[in-house]
Amino acid sequence: MESGNDIELVRNKQVILKDYVSGFPKESDMYVSRNGTMKLKVPEGSNGIVVKNLYLSCDPYMRSRMIKNKAITGNYYIDSFKPGSPILGLGVAKVLDSGNPNFKKGDLVWGRTGWEEYSLITDFQNMFKIQHTEVPMSYYTGILGMPGLTAYAGFYELCSPKKGENVFISTASGAVGQLVGQFAKLLGCYVVGSAGSKEKVNLLKNKFHFNEAFNYKEELDLDAALKRYFPEGIDIYFENVGGKMLDAVLLNMRAHGRIAACGMISQHNLDKPEGVHNLMHLIYKRIRIEGFFVFDYNHLYPKFLELVLPQIAEGKIVYVEDIAEGLESGPAALIRLFSGLNIGKQVVFITQE
Amino acid sequence: MESGNDIELVRNKQVILKDYVSGFPKESDMYVSRNGTMKLKVPEGSNGIVVKNLYLSCDPYMRSRMIKNKAITGNYYIDSFKPGSPILGLGVAKVLDSGNPNFKKGDLVWGRTGWEEYSLITDFQNMFKIQHTEVPMSYYTGILGMPGLTAYAGFYELCSPKKGENVFISTASGAVGQLVGQFAKLLGCYVVGSAGSKEKVNLLKNKFHFNEAFNYKEELDLDAALKRYFPEGIDIYFENVGGKMLDAVLLNMRAHGRIAACGMISQHNLDKPEGVHNLMHLIYKRIRIEGFFVFDYNHLYPKFLELVLPQIAEGKIVYVEDIAEGLESGPAALIRLFSGLNIGKQVVFITQE
């Protein structure tokens, strides 16, 4: 009879958070440990799975998990990373051993995992089996993963878009923005995106075929910039940054406009978030602004895949990724994302299947 | 044949706006003119109506019409009062002469009229014929008029309330708030209101039977006050004030909370509106905030009356009014409203039918 003690331990490299982070995160807030070990077998009696991680996803929300747990009224709190433990995130992985009837050895999955070579996963709430393998597996950290579903639910469910409407997207070349823009274009909307470099602006115009794009860092007056691109105002704003940009957008929304609040990345590293002064415009122009959490829309994932897989196959939707090689590059990749240096979806490649 | 020249002119007292107002409005920004005259006959060929005004409504939005027209992107602008001309507002009136097939002499109406004894009305977009006269006619400036429909549409349509939810209302003893609170109580919600005096707080608790009420002026820390009354957070916030209160509410909303943005009266007299810092909570807790304009919901008015008239008749809903006597008292009544000195719906009584 096999006993747990007989199973060989393998090395398990991990990206560890040193301590809670205040101010702007640095690469040195994390380190790669080679001391970890792992049994590639599910503990007896557990319904968990042991996976080999293939790709890790760098996502803006991870910034908020680097601070100490903040209790927030309303039965909600931000679940922090644990100093001294591996960073947690979304990734693509291969099942090596399974105590769970829904997953078997050899399955490819995407969902919550650790920043390490191997993980034991016991929470299956947001774990998806990968059924379509004719696309790059990294896509399941991006266009076919959480950012893809975010773009889909945020745009179609929250914004109720109509052909011909004016759509503005901030951090438009990011994992979510590039997809929202392409959805809007395919629907026949007028689409403008903002981003933080000339290279990204070029990408928006030439690769994703946005109608217009601008570098917000070159605009002294965001209100004037928006008026230049939207003389008749904005119907839909896909909000990824918050702060000053949101304030300028409020001035330029049209009556019955809709704002999907997906993220406010500009606010993460501030001790006190910037004030937004133009909320009166919510009333003047009957605007709806709605925050959302992508995993509330898991039921739409099959419908989303049905829409987007053929569009990828036909080249109607493209996706740009920024792939860092090796677990060791994880900390730098995450900081690149927080600094806006990535071009497209930031991914960390760990290993082939 | 009757000719226009034969018709007798009558005196038409008017409340005139002296000039655009900056800072806090004063009674002396308006004056009562006795120089006006009026023919009590519709001009030949016009489809207008001539009315005798019975009650005028003092409403917070009127503050924004005392400033110079502000063009706002998105085909919307605030339509100012004209210095030297009568103030405009909602009121209850009796038709004296009609060139319009929908109205006849003797009809009672409510809708847009002027702050004067007699008005010629040619815009019927928001003019309602009064069908139910078993209630005080002043009610059509309040519970059965624009504030009533505002409470109904804002609460039932925008907030999708459910029995047992936690509801918070600011300026809760005002024309709209007192009704929202009673709707919420009748639905089985836990209801807390804030107001600006001890007298109003008593009214909320003892007259409208809110579960709790507090005087925001006595709270140094609005966040702490809200945590005291909502240890488990707020599901629905009926927003009438903006600024600091909204910021504190955002900290205390629960997941999937809804905010109906009806007004932000605290912001009207500021050169630059206060900043709201806690909008990240829209995302943390998937909150929806939506501005609205009551006359977008005119189609619900019959349904609203059907609900509320029996409740008034049975005493299940009560309504408190603060009635100033005579057109001369108009300027003072309006300033009382802006200062929060009114107790309940501020009305100006002009004359009996």
Side-chain angles (χ1 to χ4, degrees), chain A residues 66-87:
Chain A
M66 294 181 138
I67 54 172
K68 199 166 180 180
N69 270 351
K70 268 206 300 201
I72 295 178
T73 303
N75 301 325
Y76 176 87
Y77 75 110
I78 295 172
D79 200 8
S80 299
F81 298 143
K82 222 166 108 191
S85 291
I87 281 175

Side-chain angles (χ1 to χ4, degrees), chain B residues 117-288:
Chain B
E117 289 175 289
Y118 304 99
S119 299
L120 171 66
I121 292 166
T122 54
D123 174 5
F124 298 98
Q125 216 184 343
N126 296 304
M127 182 60 67
F128 299 81
K129 209 185 289 193
I130 293 174
Q131 315 275 12
H132 303 271
T133 54
E134 69 280 14
V135 290
M137 281 305 97
S138 56
Y139 273 20
Y140 288 95
T141 67
I143 184 169
L144 298 178
M146 182 275 282
L149 186 57
T150 300
Y152 179 79
F155 185 62
Y156 287 109
E157 295 290 307
L158 274 79
C159 296
S160 315
K162 286 185 287 293
K163 185 177 170 174
E165 287 194 313
N166 297 339
V167 177
F168 177 57
I169 302 158
S170 52
T171 66
S173 71
V176 176
Q178 53 175 297
L179 198 48
V180 174
Q182 291 179 84
F183 282 152
K185 281 296 295 178
L186 286 171
L187 192 67
C189 295
Y190 168 79
V191 181
V192 179
S194 66
S197 75
K198 197 177 166 193
E199 195 177 352
K200 291 179 185 178
V201 167
N202 285 341
L203 202 63
L204 292 176
K205 287 199 210 170
N206 303 322
K207 181 96 181 173
F208 305 128
H209 305 294
F210 282 38
N211 295 84
E212 297 285 351
F214 65 92
N215 180 351
Y216 71 90
K217 292 179 181 168
E218 287 179 356
E219 301 291 341
L220 290 175
D221 181 344
L222 291 173
D223 177 34
L226 291 171
K227 285 191 165 49
R228 193 163 73 233
Y229 293 110
F230 295 100
E232 297 187 348
I234 300 166
D235 294 296
I236 291 174
Y237 173 44
F238 206 91
E239 161 68 306
N240 287 309
V241 296
K244 287 185 186 64
M245 184 64 95
L246 176 56
D247 237 353
V249 166
L250 284 168
L251 294 175
N252 289 283
M253 290 297 288
R254 295 179 78 171
H256 300 289
R258 290 132 275 153
I259 300 177
C262 176
M264 296 192 179
I265 199 169
S266 71
Q267 304 302 299
H268 278 304
N269 300 308
L270 304 174
D271 282 340
K272 184 177 181 178
E274 287 178 288
V276 171
H277 298 271
N278 296 322
L279 292 172
M280 273 300 294
H281 285 253
L282 296 180
I283 301 171
Y284 295 156
K285 295 178 291 193
R286 304 98 122 177
I287 296 166
R288 185 177 69 213

Side-chain angles (χ1 to χ4, degrees), chain A residues 158-313:
Chain A
L158 274 79
C159 295
S160 316
K162 286 185 287 292
K163 187 179 169 173
E165 286 194 314
N166 297 338
V167 177
F168 177 57
I169 303 158
S170 52
T171 66
S173 70
V176 177
Q178 52 176 299
L179 198 48
V180 174
Q182 292 180 84
F183 282 152
K185 280 295 294 179
L186 285 171
L187 193 67
C189 296
Y190 167 79
V191 182
V192 180
S194 67
S197 74
K198 199 178 164 193
E199 195 177 351
K200 290 178 185 177
V201 167
N202 286 340
L203 203 63
L204 292 175
K205 287 199 210 172
N206 303 321
K207 180 96 181 174
F208 306 129
H209 304 294
F210 282 40
N211 296 85
E212 297 284 351
F214 65 92
N215 180 349
Y216 72 89
K217 291 179 181 167
E218 287 179 355
E219 302 291 342
L220 289 175
D221 181 342
L222 290 173
D223 178 32
L226 291 171
K227 286 191 165 49
R228 194 162 73 232
Y229 294 111
F230 294 100
E232 297 188 348
I234 299 166
D235 295 296
I236 291 175
Y237 173 45
F238 205 93
E239 160 69 306
N240 288 308
V241 297
K244 288 184 186 64
M245 183 64 93
L246 176 57
D247 237 353
V249 167
L250 285 167
L251 295 174
N252 288 283
M253 290 297 288
R254 296 177 77 171
H256 301 290
R258 290 133 273 153
I259 300 177
C262 175
M264 298 192 178
I265 199 171
S266 71
Q267 304 302 299
H268 278 306
N269 300 307
L270 304 173
D271 283 342
K272 184 177 182 180
E274 286 176 288
V276 171
H277 299 271
N278 296 322
L279 292 172
M280 274 300 293
H281 286 253
L282 296 179
I283 301 171
Y284 294 156
K285 296 180 288 193
R286 303 98 122 177
I287 295 166
R288 185 177 70 212
I289 173 166
E290 188 165 0
F292 71 109
F293 179 53
V294 58
F295 293 127
D296 287 341
Y297 296 88
N298 281 353
H299 59 285
L300 297 179
Y301 186 62
K303 205 174 141 194
F304 160 67
L305 284 185
E306 210 173 287
L307 173 84
V308 83
L309 281 169
Q311 288 175 326
I312 293 173

